[in-house]
Amino acid sequence: QSGLTQPASVSGSPGQSITISCAGTSSDVGSYNLVSWYQQHPGKAPKLMIYEVSKRPSGVSNRFSGSRSGNTASLTISGLQAEDEADYYCCSYAGSNTWVFGGGTKLTVL
Amino acid sequence: QLQLLESGPGLVKPSETLSLTCSVSGGSISSSSYYWGWIRQPPGKGLEWIGSIYYSGSTYYNPSLKSRVTIFVDTSKNQFSLKLSSVTAADTAVYFCARQFSSGWPPAYFDYWGQGTLVTVSS
């Protein structure tokens, strides 16, 4: 079981859109509609932002969207705001009763 | 509002066993719609799933930790607990407990998290 691969960092200016990728394999991201994304501010617990690839929990801004192509999932944040600056993690069911996280991506709002 | 609160020693000696408990309030740990998980985060690093448990006692562990991990549930106290044996400095991390929503198998996502508790392994 290997971790999912995310870019270490991404950045964007306020109002712009950014996309964070999450590369997995045909054994995890590519096989199950069970990709979720979490936002984590420093010193805080992770917060669910996207579940089941592209669904948004109640209360999460519609500026956040998720998608998947093959073995790679993506999180897109449109209309970047200063408060979006945080670490983002993807997570996927990996089969055999296991779950795997990505290494995390630090988003900087310039 | 559901709340999860981790508790346990903040300092554990190498080779000893780390023990943490997650107390759940505002909801029942015996609900059929949820599993309950432990996730950890070493300082400055990413998240790692440790394991999950159902209220019936069924457990699922990260293969890389399986030989050292035990997760168990106490429905009468609305709590679930983690034991990690033979700890080393590499087990130093913030440990989070979380609720895992399930509309079937497998559970889908972690929707509520505790605040986390830092456990340092040091003599």
Side-chain angles (χ1 to χ4, degrees):
Chain A
Q1 182 193 50
S2 299
L4 306 175
T5 301
Q6 299 181 230
S9 63
V10 298
S11 62
S13 299
Q16 288 186 331
S17 294
I18 63 95
T19 296
I20 299 171
S21 61
C22 171
T25 69
S26 58
S27 297
D28 40 59
V29 172
S31 285
Y32 306 97
N33 292 327
L34 295 174
V35 177
S36 51
W37 289 90
Y38 303 86
Q39 175 192 66
Q40 186 181 34
H41 287 109
K44 300 295 186 181
K47 174 187 176 184
L48 178 68
M49 304 302 285
I50 295 288
Y51 67 97
E52 294 176 0
V53 179
S54 60
K55 298 178 181 178
R56 246 186 342 267
S58 174
V60 172
S61 171
N62 59 11
R63 297 185 298 105
F64 291 82
S65 63
S67 62
R68 179 185 59 192
S69 177
N71 299 333
T72 299
S74 298
L75 173 71
T76 297
I77 308 174
S78 59
L80 267 181
Q81 299 179 1
E83 68 219 46
D84 300 332
E85 185 161 296
D87 294 327
Y88 291 85
Y89 294 89
C90 60
C91 179
S92 175
Y93 180 65
S96 301
N97 305 329
T98 63
W99 284 262
V100 62
F101 283 92
T105 298
K106 180 177 180 60
L107 169 62
T108 301
V109 180
L110 302 171
Chain B
Q1 178 75 345
L2 188 79
Q3 291 189 320
L4 295 86
L5 184 63
E6 305 90 350
S7 60
L11 181 64
V12 181
K13 290 182 168 55
S15 80
E16 295 190 344
T17 295
L18 177 160
S19 296
L20 295 174
T21 293
C22 182
S23 299
V24 180
S25 59
S28 173
I29 204 169
S30 300
S31 169
S32 60
S33 296
Y34 306 108
Y35 287 68
W36 305 88
W38 287 98
I39 300 101
R40 71 179 182 177
Q41 184 172 36
K45 297 188 178 181
L47 301 170
E48 179 180 35
W49 172 73
I50 299 171
S52 297
I53 190 166
Y54 196 51
Y55 76 92
S56 64
S58 297
T59 51
Y60 311 94
Y61 298 137
N62 187 322
S64 68
L65 298 169
K66 187 173 184 177
S67 64
R68 298 193 293 129
V69 172
T70 303
I71 298 175
F72 55 96
V73 63
D74 187 336
T75 56
S76 67
K77 295 182 178 179
N78 226 34
Q79 296 176 338
F80 63 107
S81 299
L82 167 70
K83 287 189 181 297
L84 180 66
S85 64
S86 304
V87 297
T88 69
D91 295 309
T92 293
V94 175
Y95 286 75
F96 296 99
C97 61
R99 189 179 79 171
Q100 202 171 6
F101 176 79
S102 175
S103 60
W105 181 261
Y109 49 87
F110 299 96
D111 59 353
Y112 281 90
W113 296 65
Q115 63 186 17
T117 186
L118 175 63
V119 179
T120 301
V121 179
S122 175
S123 55

